[in-house]
Amino acid sequence: MHDVLPDAMHLWHRLETTVRETFAAYGYSEIRIPVVEKTELFARAIGAATDVVEKEMYTFEDRNGDSLSLRPEGTAGVVRAVLQNGLLYGPPLRLWYVGSMFRRERPQKGRTRQFHQVGAEVFGAPGPDIDAELLAMCQRVWQGLGLHGLRLEVNSLGTADERTDFRKDLRVFLAARRDRLDDDSRDRLERNPLRILDSKNPKVQALLTDAPLLSDYLGPESRAHFAGFLELLEQFGLEYEVNPRLVRGLDYYSHTVFEWITGELGAQGTVCAGGRYDGLVEIQGGRPSPGIGFAMGQERLVELMKLQAEPASEVPHVYLVMAGSGTVRGGLVLAERLRAAVPGLRIRSNLGGGSFKAQFKRADRSGASLALVLGEDEVAAGAVTIKHLRDEKAEQQRVSLDGLAVWLENWLNN
Ligand code: ATP
Ligand code: MG
C-alpha cells in the first residue's frame, strides 16, 4: 500500500477533475459508497471461484461475528446501493465513483494492495448504444489527459446459457492438456474453466491458441448486440481490436467486455476495463435490470501521465522574498491581494525568514520564474523589485504596488 506524495498530487487532481468534467458532459452523477461491506456481497457478486474472492480480499470479523471485507472493487457496492436506495427501474441511471480498493495481490509494478479506481456504472439500458457511448467517454478522458497510444480491445461474452456450452467444450479441451497447466489453472478446471482464459501465465496462454472460441457459441441476439456495438464504435471513429480471448477477472459479465491497454507500462498495461453485467442486479436480489460499467486504475493512469502528459505543475510562478522590518506582514497581505487579483497565479511566500541570499536560494530551488522582492527600500518606495530567475538576460526591475497586479497578469499571459 503506497503513499501518494505531494509531487504527484497535481496529476491525481488533474485526473479527477478531467473525469468529473467529462462524465458530467455525458450526464453522470457521482455516488459515494462505503469502503467496507458484508463479505457475502462480494462473494455473490464477483463469484466465489475468482481470485479476488478466494484469496485477495481483506476479510475480518466484526465484533458481533459478521464477516466484513474491504471493497476489492466498486460495482458490487454500487449495485447494493442503488437497490437499497430505490434508485433503479426508472429511466436509465448513469453513475460514477472514485475511491480506494483493496486486494491482497502480489505487489509488483502497477499492482498494489491498496489502489484507486474511477468507475462508471449504467443501469436500465440494455442496448449496445450505451456500450459504445461509454467507450467514447473513456476516449474523451484520455484526450483530456493528453494520453495517447491506448489500444481498445473488445469481445462479447454472450449470455450465461451460451457460456454453459462453451464451458463444457473448453473444459474437455483443457482436461486433455491438464499436465501442461499450472497449479492455478488446474484448480480452476472443474470449478471455473473460463477463468483460465484470463491466466497471466504465458505457457498457459500458449496452450490456449487452439482452444474453442466463445464467439462460435453465441446465438443471433448476442451476435446482433455485438455487431451493433462495433458499428457504433466505427461511427464514433474509435479504433478497436476484437480479442476473442478477452474475458474479465470477475464473474458477473455478459455480452460486451473491453479493456484499454497501453504498451508503455510493462506487464500491467491495462488502465481501464469493464463490460456489461445484465445478471448482476438479480444476483443481488433485485428484479432484473441490465447494467454496464468500467473501472479505470488511477495509479496506472498517473504513471502514464508522468510519461506522456504535459506537467500541469504545482511549481510556483512567483517566489516572494521578504527581508527587513515590516516586510513579512506587508508581503503576506500583498500576496493575498495578488492571488485575488490575478487568477491562476501561483505565489509561494518565503517562510521562516532568512537573509536575502538564503531566500534567493530557496526561490531558485522552488522552480519559480520570478522572485518578488520586498525589502525595507521597497516598502519605503511603495514598490517591489522583480528578478527573473530563469532568464539571465532579463533585467531586474522595480514595479510600483499599484501597477503590480496588471504587470503580473500580462507576464502570466505572455
Ligand atoms: P488485472 O488483470 O490487471 O489484474 P483486473 O481484471 O483484476 O486487472 P479490474 O478488476 O477490472 O482489473 O480493475 C480495473 C482496473 O483497475 C485495472 O485495469 C487496473 O488498471 C486497476 N487495478 C486492478 N487491480 C489493481 C491493483 N492491484 N493495483 C493497481 N491497479 C489495479
Ligand atoms: Mg486482477
Side-chain angles (χ1 to χ4, degrees):
M1 299 191 186
H2 290 200
D3 302 306
V4 180
L5 296 176
D7 66 347
M9 200 52 80
H10 66 281
L11 296 172
W12 287 77
H13 285 168
R14 181 164 173 207
L15 171 56
E16 287 168 17
T17 304
T18 303
V19 159
R20 186 170 291 122
E21 290 172 0
T22 309
F23 290 4
Y26 286 80
Y28 284 70
S29 311
E30 185 176 357
I31 185 168
R32 299 193 183 187
I33 52 168
V35 172
V36 176
E37 301 265 4
K38 292 206 170 122
T39 303
E40 87 188 20
L41 173 77
F42 300 118
R44 218 177 327 134
I46 299 171
T50 57
D51 278 357
V52 170
V53 170
E54 274 183 341
K55 42 191 182 190
E56 296 175 357
M57 282 206 297
Y58 286 93
T59 297
F60 58 96
E61 266 194 15
D62 197 358
R63 285 169 193 276
N64 60 1
D66 288 341
S67 179
L68 304 180
S69 295
L70 297 185
R71 62 183 182 192
E73 53 100 57
T75 305
V78 171
V79 169
R80 181 204 47 69
V82 296
L83 275 170
Q84 198 170 316
N85 294 284
L87 303 182
L88 281 186
Y89 311 118
L93 181 64
R94 290 173 165 93
L95 297 174
W96 73 277
Y97 61 84
V98 53
S100 33
M101 308 295 161
F102 304 84
R103 296 182 196 175
R104 199 175 185 291
E105 311 196 61
R106 188 167 70 78
Q108 46 194 298
K109 185 175 181 297
R111 199 179 286 290
T112 52
R113 290 177 169 181
Q114 174 173 349
F115 59 100
H116 298 79
Q117 288 183 334
V118 164
E121 317 286 356
V122 181
F123 299 95
D129 44 359
I130 186 66
D131 306 20
E133 189 191 78
L134 266 183
L135 292 173
M137 185 165 88
C138 291
Q139 170 81 1
R140 207 169 286 283
V141 170
W142 313 146
Q143 272 169 4
L145 295 174
L147 300 180
H148 48 82
L150 286 165
R151 209 172 73 240
L152 172 60
E153 289 191 1
V154 300
N155 193 21
S156 173
L157 297 185
T159 62
D161 284 346
E162 289 159 351
R163 285 199 300 274
T164 305
D165 287 340
F166 171 65
R167 189 177 294 118
K168 255 186 241 148
D169 291 354
L170 181 66
R171 185 178 284 133
V172 169
F173 173 90
L174 290 169
R177 293 157 181 79
R178 170 184 273 277
D179 48 329
R180 284 186 279 159
L181 292 175
D182 58 15
D183 290 346
D184 255 2
S185 302
R186 228 170 282 147
D187 239 28
R188 287 175 180 150
L189 193 52
E190 287 316 314
R191 291 184 305 146
N192 198 353
L194 247 73
R195 309 273 345 101
I196 300 175
L197 297 179
D198 198 32
S199 166
K200 304 276 190 290
N201 183 340
K203 283 188 193 140
V204 174
Q205 278 301 329
L207 208 64
L208 291 169
T209 328
D210 306 318
L213 281 181
L214 179 51
S215 50
D216 296 331
Y217 294 74
L218 301 188
E221 274 180 39
S222 291
R223 282 172 202 269
H225 186 108
F226 195 46
F229 166 61
L230 298 183
E231 197 181 306
L232 259 174
L233 290 185
E234 273 152 40
Q235 281 177 9
F236 285 151
L238 285 175
E239 282 176 33
Y240 63 86
E241 231 171 278
V242 176
N243 173 357
R245 291 189 204 291
L246 179 68
V247 289
R248 302 282 316 118
L250 316 176
D251 260 1
Y252 50 56
Y253 290 100
S254 56
H255 294 296
T256 310
V257 290
F258 52 85
E259 292 194 1
W260 290 91
I261 304 162
T262 172
E264 291 186 43
L265 293 176
Q268 264 55 252
T270 303
V271 296
C272 173
R276 182 165 277 284
Y277 48 79
D278 290 343
L280 184 57
V281 170
E282 201 176 0
I283 292 175
Q284 295 296 13
R287 266 187 295 126
S289 176
I292 180 166
F294 62 71
M296 300 175 173
Q298 287 185 264
E299 279 79 1
R300 294 184 194 177
L301 284 171
V302 165
E303 279 315 301
L304 198 59
M305 289 166 75
K306 284 186 191 161
L307 295 173
Q308 292 190 345
E310 287 280 309
S313 98
E314 290 198 322
V315 172
H317 299 111
V318 174
Y319 193 95
L320 181 58
V321 172
M322 301 165 287
S325 95
T327 57
V328 171
R329 185 182 305 166
L332 294 181
V333 172
L334 173 67
E336 280 307 304
R337 270 205 354 245
L338 293 173
R339 288 186 192 105
V342 187
L345 183 69
R346 295 190 293 269
I347 306 180
R348 189 176 300 178
S349 50
N350 183 70
L351 287 181
S355 65
F356 277 116
K357 189 168 167 220
Q359 292 193 39
F360 278 120
K361 221 178 196 170
R362 289 179 209 145
D364 193 48
R365 252 187 264 135
S366 76
S369 305
L370 300 179
L372 225 80
V373 188
L374 200 62
E376 289 172 8
D377 288 356
E378 281 84 0
V379 171
V384 296
T385 299
I386 293 180
K387 276 186 89 155
H388 296 264
L389 300 171
R390 315 283 146 198
D391 182 356
E392 278 161 19
K393 275 176 266 154
E395 302 248 332
Q396 74 172 49
Q397 66 193 102
R398 202 166 257 210
V399 177
S400 82
L401 292 180
D402 296 341
L404 186 57
V406 173
W407 191 97
L408 284 168
E409 194 163 9
N410 284 335
W411 171 83
L412 188 65
N413 295 318
N414 283 303

